[in-house]
Amino acid sequence: MTDWPVLESQYFMHVVERLPLTIVRGKGARVWDEDGKEYLDFVGGWAVNSLGHCHPAVTKAITEQVQLLIHTSNQFYTVPQLRLAQLLVENSCLDKVFFGNSGAEANEAAIKLARRYGQLKLDGAYEIITTLGSFHGRTLATVAATGQEKFQKSFSPLPTGFVNVKYNSVGAIKSATSKHTCAVMIEPVQGEGGVNIPDNGYLAEVRAWCDQKGILLILDEIQTGIGRMGSLFAYEQYGVEPDIMTLAKGLGSGVAIGAILAKDKAAVFVPGEHGSTFGGNPLACAAGYATLKFVIDNDIPGKVKAVGGYLIQGLAKLKTKFPFITDVRGRGLLVAVEFKDDIAAPLVMDCLKKGLLVNQLKPNAVRFMPPLIIGNGEVDEALGILDSVLLAK
Ligand SMILES: *Cc1c(COP(=O)(O)O)cnc(C)c1O
């Protein structure tokens, strides 16, 4: 059998410390390696495999689309793109859609749109306030938006026009606001930065401040959107409406797609100001439509709320049993467990050996982002493996 790790070190750029597992097949919440060993997948492709692996509804949609039309230039109308745009608008508070290919691209588009809005409506304001501990992507502008030094330090000079301020502090946003500010960009819950849940009033107060100043509120729902938090979009749980929202991860069930949605007043692009060769192609949009339609028609957000609650309850029991668990937090199926010591790396390895995939969030924390279609049985299975692994710690 080919030694894939050796091939990787020979041919692939060393951008990630991979885990010793080559996945060759997936179905539902499970994946298999070359030897046929089965794993319960609580990483879900980093919150991407919303309907699990190779969901029949998605596989059917892309199989049909791939025989009909894969790509055409965006100078022509295509059916899947417009159907998905309509479905997104009809099920959100936003009015217009543009598709890209990833989360970073969606945020780049949001940044451009906010700057264009600033030029047109805010006397040339261009600055965007973002929060410390956030994650907005890996392109230069989104790295500048990402308030984490570890992602920024190797790539100076970064594009200017971003201010990173304390998360969960309306005061910090207020003090950073100037005549140059055109927008505030935040994740409703910080995902990559630690599953950091803000105080209940935070988003509403930020919304009120943006209204008072006439600046835009951009919500990065790339990780929290499409049912992940137990509502179709996270903003619904906080009683606010963004002016601009970005989506990606869970939208295509694994087919690359990103989306930017805007209220009519903020959708100020005119022809020539933005575009994409691949963005919104029929294949990606067919996957997005199949995913979103299934999520909506089957009340997946409601099920996520229930099963996510069950998972958090089970983890809270483990916390009582193992005092070195210092925190269990999350909403829906975006959940983190934090430990007293830096045991996340060996814990991830031990779980892997026992057939459970979990994500290391920090040296002392792990994250669960399983497919949204899991049931209590899969949660019990995962909790059982975690219990046995923690028992040995
Ligand atoms: C993953 C993520 C991104 C970046 O998405 P890519 O598809 O990796 O470019 C941006 N924002 C948030 C909140 C994310 O979780």
Side-chain angles (χ1 to χ4, degrees), residues 128-134 136 141-149 152 158 161-167 172 176:
I128 298 178
I129 299 172
T130 69
T131 60
L132 292 166
S134 62
H136 297 296
T142 58
V143 161
T146 293
Q148 295 192 61
E149 202 206 340
Q152 299 182 332
L158 291 173
F162 297 90
V163 200
N164 310 140
V165 306
K166 192 165 179 281
Y167 186 58

Side-chain angles (χ1 to χ4, degrees), residues 1-14 16-23 33-34:
M1 229 182 270
T2 311
D3 191 332
W4 301 110
V6 167
L7 226 67
E8 198 259 13
S9 63
Q10 197 173 349
Y11 295 115
F12 203 87
M13 287 195 199
H14 193 57
V16 60
E17 300 295 351
R18 298 195 208 236
L19 291 162
L21 167 63
T22 305
I23 297 174
D33 69 11
E34 277 186 303

Side-chain angles (χ1 to χ4, degrees), residues 21 23 25-33 37-46 48-56 228 253 307 311 333 354-358 368-382 385:
L21 167 63
I23 297 174
R25 187 163 70 84
K27 189 83 204 151
R30 291 171 201 277
V31 295
W32 287 266
D33 69 11
K37 184 174 173 196
E38 184 179 303
Y39 299 83
L40 182 58
D41 183 5
F42 267 45
V43 179
W46 288 333
V48 164
N49 298 105
S50 35
L51 300 186
H53 296 275
C54 303
H55 190 281
R228 173 66 49 190
S253 284
V307 77
L311 171 63
L333 286 173
K354 295 201 168 192
L356 173 67
L357 307 184
V358 300
F368 308 100
M369 305 159 278
L372 307 180
I373 44 98
I374 60 161
N376 289 3
E378 275 122 344
V379 169
D380 287 336
E381 203 180 319
I385 294 174

Side-chain angles (χ1 to χ4, degrees), residues 162-240:
F162 297 90
V163 200
N164 310 140
V165 306
K166 192 165 179 281
Y167 186 58
N168 199 24
S169 162
V170 186
I173 288 173
K174 287 183 177 175
S175 342
T177 306
S178 74
K179 66 178 196 302
H180 301 303
T181 309
C182 67
V184 175
M185 175 154 116
I186 34 185
E187 296 161 85
V189 166
Q190 288 185 337
E192 201 279 339
V195 187
N196 303 320
I197 301 169
D199 295 340
N200 279 332
Y202 176 63
L203 282 183
E205 282 181 55
V206 175
R207 173 73 273 179
W209 177 250
C210 290
D211 288 341
Q212 191 182 328
K213 290 287 158 184
I215 58 181
L216 300 175
L217 176 61
I218 305 170
L219 287 185
D220 177 345
E221 292 234 22
I222 286 165
Q223 188 158 154
T224 55
I226 322 295
R228 173 66 49 190
M229 297 232 323
S231 52
L232 190 56
F233 303 109
Y235 72 75
E236 298 166 32
Q237 299 185 32
Y238 293 97
V240 299

